Amino acid sequence: MQTAEIRRRFLDFFAARDHTVVPSAPLLYNDPTLLFVNAGMVPFKPYFTGAETAPFDRAVSVQKCVRTLDIEEVGKTTRHGTFFQMNGNFSFGDYFKAGAIEYAWELVTGSQADGNYGFDPDKVWVTVYLDDDEAATLWRRVGVPDAHIQRRGLKDNYWHMGIPGPGGPCSEIYIDRGPEFGPDGGPIVDEDRFLEIWNLVFQTEVLSAVRAKDDFDVVGPLPSQNIDTGMGLERTAYLLQGVANMYEIDETFPVIQKAAELAGTKYGAEHEADIRLRVVGDHVRSALMLMTDGVTPGNEARGYVLRRLLRRSVRSMRLLGVHDPVLPELLPVSRDVMQASYPEILTEWARVSQVAYAEEESFRRTLAAGSQIFDLAASRALAEHAETISGEQAFALHDTYGFPIDLTLEMASEQGLAVDQAGFRRLMTEQRERAKADAKAKKGAAVATEAYRTLRTAGEVPFLGYTDLTAETTVRGIVADGRLVDRAVPGDIVEVVLDETPFYAEAGGQDADSGLITSDGLSLDVLDVQRPVQGLVVHRVRVEDGELDTGARVLAAVDAAARAGACQAHTATHIVNATLRQLLGQGTHQAGSYNKPGYLRFDFNASGALSQGLQEELEGVANEAIRADYEVTATEMPIAQARALGAQAMFGEKYGDIVRMVELAGPWSRELCGGTHVARTSQIGLLSLVGESSVGSGLRRVEAFVSADAFDQLARERALVSGLAELLKVQPDQLTDRVAKLVAQVKAAEKEIADLRARQLLGEVPSLVAGAETVGRFQFVGKALPGTAADDLRTLAIQVRDAFGSRPGVVALVGGAEKPVLIVAATSTARDLGAKSGVLVGAGAAALGGRGGGRDDLAQGGGTDISAAPAALTAIRAALAG
């Protein structure tokens, strides 16, 4: 049974039983506690916590998930994968244990001909919580014998989110794979033979504190009894497909087969190669799904996870002997097998493939640079007669240069060296502990949202700011240091929730409103506005005058001028988005944006930098749209209708069934957007592009000023042009030619000076050779030439080396201006005696506070401490003498 069919049957089964089919949320999900969606219940969390009212009593979904905590175990076990799909059925105060158990038993063991999965009932085992007699009775009632029902404790059969929120006992369904996979005795004996496929969670309690999986505090019961289940689609697939593990199912194995073909090997022939092939199969699919949902490679958070997956894939293929680009071969295979379940992969393919292939090329350059750094470390170790590369060096290669530890181990072995793996692991552990501490801090911050949830139970805070900039309202609550308080006094900085608000909370790239909240004797300066919980607007304020009390009547007033500027910048952002799609094609997508009064920046996918001509065209087309005075309208409609009209959506944003579509008449632009906008584009006035840059692999950024800020920027540039024209005694329209001539004259003068300097340096060759000192078996010339450029140093070093003729000569020259440059050259006779320029330059560069590398005959290094030139030459002498 193909994975897509297993998925379809799950949805159809529950849809036929009055469950609303909910599409998978994007992996990029608006949840401050998560990098990615990591469980099927995540999109339903607000309903389980009570923050929002569920729009349905029953739901079913197949949710895309990513977990990377066990990334090092991928390929080694049958259970660890980074991307997976979770089938889930949910009940919000509707059916409970009996319904969940009866549905699960029917789908798992019912006939395949009737649309079920057809597992042998005799091979089904279940676990229940220790004292959950009701669940055990219900399992016996559907046909599970007592011998196949096992009871387990909190660690195994109680589920919670890991943070304060809903929880409850659970019941898990296992399939016996047979004696060849392990000992008998059920899941409490062996969870490889007895494989869990489905977890039924009976959500009954509210947890206030969570310290560990089996250590938490329970506040009390939930308002209603809920069902939250999760069935592993990949696990179910490999059982139904009769393969040995989740990597061999139909949605992953074709990538493994292609990888094996590229490596000239056969899957199943060798254990270590199979692990690497499984890593490739898993990671390529995971990266494809992340990129489809809008993640781009980067050095932080989500982008770093994606970068790691892509680079581990390339690295694994390299360890299999494949040094050519591999993603253009592997990624299309994953696309072809995944598109049946996720057709959006094809829609996004042009962007995804562009980003992936650019990242591989970037990593290939990193590997080349890392190899040079490794060669330096290895040469230094060999020169010092050491047998080991230190853990610090291996960690620096991994952490600073992105050089994988297994490649370091492989290359060290080729040089006859070991690696201090214990030291490397210690440093990695320290880094992980720092990351865990950061994550714990973030999770602790999430605990503070309990106060927000309490305030949210009083209802959603309506946003009035589309039509009104002032509102008389009531203070619903005050939050200080994560706790609800009754009062705030002058000087306090607190968070305030109002019953309704005209203040725009930061979202969609638009900065938050500023303004004042006042009443008799009270003045609050609004510093920031956020939505920490869906439907709740929180104002961060400084109490300037008076005392603030919960329940007080106040006047909330937005700074009108700042709001007008924000509207101009936000509508201009839509114009930039639409213009880029016109110029670069419909495959261009927004990857992020930020706008505030007078300024905007916009990130988008692109294979390379925008040419000067394209930048000018972008600015010109955008200003044409501004002058065209397009009407700007916002309309609420069903999301399906908005998508049918071509409205652009932002990756990772959560959209409800009803969305707000902002349209520039024509239609010139349509986007799903909750921000504030001008009424007509002419109200923007002017847009001035001020910069274009790279912000990541395959990702570019443009920045612009709008309205009065754009005018001010152009006025400053005009003043600059006028000043230069006056200084050079030409008309402004002649300035370009005049500057070009001056630049040409300067370059000619610099070349003449450089040629003169080179002739002077070369004239010193005979005296340098004549003054060579004897160091061990070598004739050595070592000299500091401050201010000499690298090219001149290199030419001089080669000339001195060649002047030695057949003698064992070595020359080391240190030059440079602000930062030192070191050149080392050695004759063939010197090289035969063991003097390797690449090794010697490393010793000298270390004294300069830097590093270097190169060939045996000629090498170059650098550093940070130009005053250390004598020490660098002394280090090279010592290396020659030793």
Side-chain angles (χ1 to χ4, degrees):
M1 190 182 296
Q2 297 292 292
T3 305
E5 173 64 13
I6 299 170
R7 179 181 187 275
R8 185 190 65 78
R9 288 189 179 208
F10 191 88
L11 294 173
D12 288 351
F13 178 91
F14 285 100
R17 289 156 181 79
D18 301 322
H19 288 64
T20 299
V21 177
V22 179
S24 174
L27 290 165
L28 279 170
Y29 193 71
N30 284 339
D31 188 318
T33 67
L34 298 173
L35 274 182
F36 307 109
V37 173
N38 62 0
M41 64 79 63
V42 168
F44 303 104
K45 192 164 73 170
Y47 309 146
F48 288 127
T49 61
E52 298 179 33
T53 301
F56 29 64
D57 295 330
R58 305 177 173 199
V60 60
S61 71
V62 178
Q63 176 62 48
K64 298 177 287 187
C65 302
V66 165
R67 294 178 186 170
T68 56
L69 288 176
D70 298 317
I71 192 170
E72 300 294 343
E73 298 303 312
V74 170
K76 300 176 184 177
T77 73
T78 61
R79 298 195 301 271
H80 292 96
T82 51
F83 172 82
F84 62 97
Q85 299 158 88
M86 189 171 285
N87 299 344
N89 59 290
F90 308 90
S91 167
F92 308 98
D94 189 10
Y95 63 84
F96 196 48
K97 292 182 184 180
I101 288 172
E102 289 165 6
Y103 286 148
W105 180 255
E106 181 182 356
L107 181 57
V108 168
T109 63
S111 166
Q112 289 190 0
D114 294 334
N116 303 303
Y117 295 144
F119 284 103
D120 182 349
D122 293 337
K123 294 184 177 181
V124 176
W125 290 64
V126 299
T127 61
V128 299
Y129 181 58
L130 284 174
D131 60 2
D132 194 350
D133 296 333
E134 180 186 6
T137 299
L138 291 168
W139 281 118
R140 284 193 293 269
R141 186 179 300 167
V142 298
V144 180
D146 275 334
H148 283 199
I149 302 174
Q150 297 184 327
R151 296 177 184 254
R152 307 181 83 171
L154 289 172
K155 187 174 182 180
D156 295 294
N157 275 84
Y158 191 100
W159 183 92
H160 54 72
M161 297 190 301
I163 58 176
C170 62
S171 181
E172 297 174 323
I173 302 173
Y174 294 78
I175 303 297
D176 182 359
R177 303 167 67 199
E180 64 270 30
F181 291 97
D184 201 356
I188 63 172
V189 173
D190 190 287
E191 290 198 5
D192 282 325
R193 170 175 173 172
F194 299 88
L195 189 74
E196 178 201 343
I197 62 166
W198 204 347
N199 186 14
L200 314 180
V201 180
F202 312 129
Q203 287 198 2
T204 56
E205 298 174 318
V206 178
L207 280 55
S208 62
V210 178
R211 291 171 291 276
K213 184 73 175 70
D214 55 353
D215 183 14
F216 48 82
D217 297 330
V218 176
V219 177
L222 285 167
S224 62
Q225 296 181 322
N226 306 314
I227 290 294
D228 160 25
T229 86
M231 167 188 268
L233 180 54
E234 282 75 12
R235 292 189 182 189
T236 306
Y238 85 72
L239 292 175
L240 288 174
Q241 292 174 17
V243 295
N245 55 60
M246 63 185 293
Y247 309 104
E248 297 176 18
I249 65 171
D250 60 300
E251 288 189 348
T252 308
F253 195 60
V255 177
I256 291 176
Q257 288 179 306
K258 183 64 176 180
E261 176 189 325
L262 293 173
T265 188
K266 184 177 181 180
Y267 182 73
E270 198 270 316
H271 177 67
E272 288 299 320
D274 286 351
I275 291 176
R276 289 165 183 160
L277 289 169
R278 290 194 287 266
V279 167
V280 172
D282 172 87
H283 287 9
V284 167
R285 183 172 76 139
S286 300
L288 171 67
M289 301 309 296
L290 285 171
M291 289 184 291
T292 298
D293 277 3
V295 185
T296 55
N299 291 325
E300 296 181 357
R302 293 161 169 165
Y304 179 73
V305 171
L306 172 59
R307 171 162 287 168
R308 192 176 180 201
L309 291 171
L310 288 169
R311 293 188 170 190
R312 277 173 60 91
S313 301
V314 174
R315 175 191 76 193
S316 296
M317 292 300 294
R318 182 184 175 100
L319 292 172
L320 289 165
V322 183
H323 294 267
D324 293 330
V326 295
L327 291 181
E329 299 286 343
L330 299 174
L331 204 63
V333 177
S334 189
R335 172 200 65 196
D336 293 343
V337 294
M338 293 301 296
Q339 64 175 308
S341 295
Y342 302 101
E344 62 268 25
I345 291 173
L346 284 182
T347 305
E348 301 299 329
W349 176 249
R351 175 185 57 82
V352 166
S353 57
Q354 178 187 87
V355 168
Y357 303 161
E359 178 64 19
E360 179 173 17
E361 185 56 37
S362 172
F363 185 45
R364 285 166 60 81
R365 291 193 297 269
T366 294
L367 287 176
S371 295
Q372 292 181 351
I373 303 303
F374 170 83
D375 290 341
L376 175 62
S379 298
R380 189 174 301 163
L382 292 170
E384 296 170 356
H385 306 291
E387 298 179 351
T388 303
I389 290 176
S390 70
E392 288 78 7
Q393 289 172 315
F395 180 76
L397 280 165
H398 167 83
D399 192 53
T400 304
Y401 301 101
F403 205 66
I405 181 61
D406 41 14
L407 276 184
T408 301
L409 292 170
E410 178 189 38
M411 293 171 66
S413 177
E414 291 172 355
Q415 300 263 8
L417 295 168
V419 176
D420 177 11
Q421 295 187 60
F424 174 81
R425 286 194 297 270
R426 173 179 55 78
L427 292 168
M428 287 294 293
T429 299
E430 291 175 2
Q431 186 185 64
R432 289 193 187 100
E433 291 302 319
R434 288 193 296 270
K436 286 180 180 178
D438 290 343
K440 186 175 181 180
K442 291 179 181 178
K443 189 173 285 189
V447 173
T449 63
E450 198 62 36
Y452 304 144
R453 292 193 186 100
T454 300
L455 294 171
R456 178 62 177 82
T457 59
E460 182 173 345
V461 176
F463 172 59
L464 310 177
Y466 291 135
T467 56
D468 299 306
L469 295 184
T470 61
E472 291 187 1
T473 183
T474 301
V475 175
R476 180 183 296 182
I478 306 167
V479 179
D481 299 323
R483 298 178 296 106
L484 284 171
V485 297
D486 295 327
R487 173 169 295 188
V489 298
D492 286 352
I493 295 179
V494 296
E495 294 174 315
V496 174
V497 174
L498 307 174
D499 280 346
E500 57 266 325
T501 182
F503 284 89
Y504 182 82
E506 181 181 1
Q510 181 175 332
D511 207 358
D513 278 335
S514 58
L516 296 173
I517 299 174
T518 59
S519 68
D520 291 341
L522 175 69
S523 178
L524 311 177
D525 186 11
V526 177
L527 308 175
D528 191 18
V529 190
Q530 297 291 330
R531 289 182 186 268
V533 174
Q534 185 65 30
L536 192 74
V537 178
V538 175
H539 311 74
R540 186 167 179 265
V541 305
R542 179 190 293 109
V543 182
E544 301 290 355
D545 296 298
E547 293 188 355
L548 173 67
D549 295 300
T550 300
R553 291 291 293 174
V554 294
L555 176 67
V558 174
D559 183 326
R563 166 65 77 81
C567 291
Q568 291 170 324
H570 200 153
T571 306
T573 305
H574 283 221
I575 290 175
V576 168
N577 188 5
T579 302
L580 284 168
R581 289 171 64 82
Q582 287 181 30
L583 298 178
L584 303 181
Q586 296 304 302
T588 303
H589 289 281
Q590 178 177 347
S593 67
Y594 173 71
N595 52 79
K596 64 178 182 178
Y599 169 84
L600 70 88
R601 69 170 184 249
F602 186 85
D603 298 342
F604 59 99
N605 61 296
S607 58
L610 294 184
S611 66
Q612 185 61 38
L614 272 175
Q615 291 183 49
E616 292 173 359
E617 195 170 357
L618 167 60
E619 187 178 67
V621 173
N623 279 298
E624 285 176 8
I626 291 171
R627 288 193 298 272
D629 196 28
Y630 294 126
E631 183 182 10
V632 182
T633 57
T635 309
E636 291 192 348
M637 62 182 66
I639 189 168
Q641 181 183 349
R643 292 191 185 282
L645 290 171
Q648 297 300 305
M650 179 65 183
F651 286 117
E653 287 293 321
K654 178 184 177 183
Y655 297 104
D657 294 333
I658 302 299
V659 295
R660 184 172 182 263
M661 185 183 79
V662 174
E663 178 179 1
L664 275 62
W668 202 82
S669 164
R670 285 173 174 160
E671 290 189 38
L672 302 186
C673 178
T676 64
H677 292 270
V678 295
R680 305 191 71 88
T681 59
S682 63
Q683 293 172 359
I684 298 170
L686 180 68
L687 179 144
S688 176
L689 194 64
V690 293
E692 191 269 358
S693 60
S694 170
V695 287
S697 179
L699 203 62
R700 307 296 299 182
R701 169 175 292 172
V702 293
E703 297 177 85
F705 290 123
V706 297
S707 190
D709 291 79
F711 178 83
D712 290 344
Q713 185 246 345
L714 292 175
R716 288 192 298 272
E717 289 187 356
R718 183 177 64 182
L720 177 63
V721 169
S722 297
L724 287 172
E726 182 178 352
L727 179 66
L728 298 175
K729 306 303 181 185
V730 296
Q731 294 299 314
D733 60 352
Q734 300 170 337
L735 190 59
T736 301
D737 290 341
R738 179 63 175 142
V739 170
K741 288 178 182 178
L742 286 174
V743 169
Q745 291 171 6
V746 170
K747 286 183 177 178
E750 288 176 342
K751 185 177 186 306
E752 186 176 346
I753 293 169
D755 290 343
L756 178 60
R757 176 64 174 161
R759 287 194 297 271
Q760 290 175 335
L761 286 172
L762 294 178
E764 297 181 20
V765 171
S767 62
L768 288 172
V769 174
E773 58 185 299
T774 299
V775 178
R777 294 176 293 174
F778 306 98
Q779 294 293 298
F780 177 62
V781 171
K783 192 171 182 62
L785 298 168
T788 305
D791 288 344
D792 292 337
L793 280 179
R794 191 180 303 107
T795 300
L796 179 60
I798 293 171
Q799 292 287 335
V800 174
R801 179 194 66 189
D802 293 346
F804 275 117
S806 60
R807 288 181 289 167
V810 175
V811 56
L813 304 176
V814 184
E818 294 181 1
K819 291 186 177 181
V821 176
L822 170 64
I823 304 292
V824 177
T827 65
S828 60
T829 309
R831 298 197 297 274
D832 292 340
L833 292 175
K836 311 294 185 184
S837 297
V839 175
L840 294 171
V841 81
L848 296 170
R851 52 184 181 268
R855 305 188 308 270
D856 289 347
D857 63 327
L858 183 69
Q860 179 172 332
T864 58
D865 184 5
I866 198 164
S867 67
L873 296 175
T874 298
I876 295 173
R877 285 190 188 91
L880 287 172

